[in-house]
Amino acid sequence: QLQLVESGGGLVQPGGSLRLSCAFSGFTLEYYGIGWFRQAPGKEREGVSCISSSGGSTNYADSVKGRFAISRDNAKNTVYLQMNSLKPEDTGFYYCAARRAPYGSWCRREARDMNYWGKGTLVTVSS
């Protein structure tokens, strides 16, 4: 059974860092494009970052460019989101999502493009 499980969320002060992990099971990660999404209370889900199946293509929302970094370890079936210089507006539930990639550089931050979702992990940035 295909599963995505996020971890690494928590409470952090502004300016701090967190690394989120998304562990995959039930399928071979190397064939899938992956995205990280977030949703704050009362707001729409936002595509934060994506990485292609090859790992050679990445994309970031303007709000996180220069602060967040996505990476993947296909051998460990895990994708990461390193978040630095966190701000209160980064608060929300963070979800990873996957879709079997139509080609190696495929990378999308639109929720409608993804087929499989994790249940999310909560990130709270507050002093």
Side-chain angles (χ1 to χ4, degrees):
Q1 183 177 358
L2 195 149
Q3 281 191 320
L4 292 70
V5 179
E6 303 92 340
S7 62
L11 174 64
V12 63
Q13 291 187 341
S17 298
L18 284 175
R19 188 177 80 156
L20 304 184
S21 300
C22 183
F24 297 79
S25 61
F27 63 99
T28 303
L29 180 61
E30 65 180 301
Y31 300 122
Y32 286 75
I34 307 300
W36 280 99
F37 298 79
R38 69 184 179 188
Q39 188 164 19
K43 293 190 177 181
E44 292 187 355
R45 189 167 295 190
E46 174 189 19
V48 174
S49 181
C50 64
I51 187 167
S52 62
S53 59
S54 68
S57 295
T58 58
N59 190 271
Y60 298 90
D62 288 344
S63 58
V64 307
K65 274 181 186 174
R67 300 188 297 122
F68 289 13
I70 191 170
S71 61
R72 63 191 295 156
D73 186 337
N74 288 341
K76 294 184 178 180
N77 256 21
T78 302
V79 174
Y80 305 97
L81 185 68
Q82 178 67 43
M83 307 188 297
N84 299 325
S85 303
L86 283 161
K87 304 175 181 180
E89 51 263 44
D90 294 318
T91 294
F93 277 94
Y94 282 70
Y95 304 87
C96 60
R99 174 180 170 172
R100 186 163 179 117
Y103 48 88
S105 60
W106 187 87
C107 176
R108 293 287 188 275
R109 290 190 291 109
E110 293 292 333
R112 63 175 181 263
D113 290 325
M114 313 308 282
N115 297 133
Y116 306 102
W117 290 83
K119 293 184 178 180
T121 185
L122 179 62
V123 172
T124 304
V125 185
S126 176
S127 55

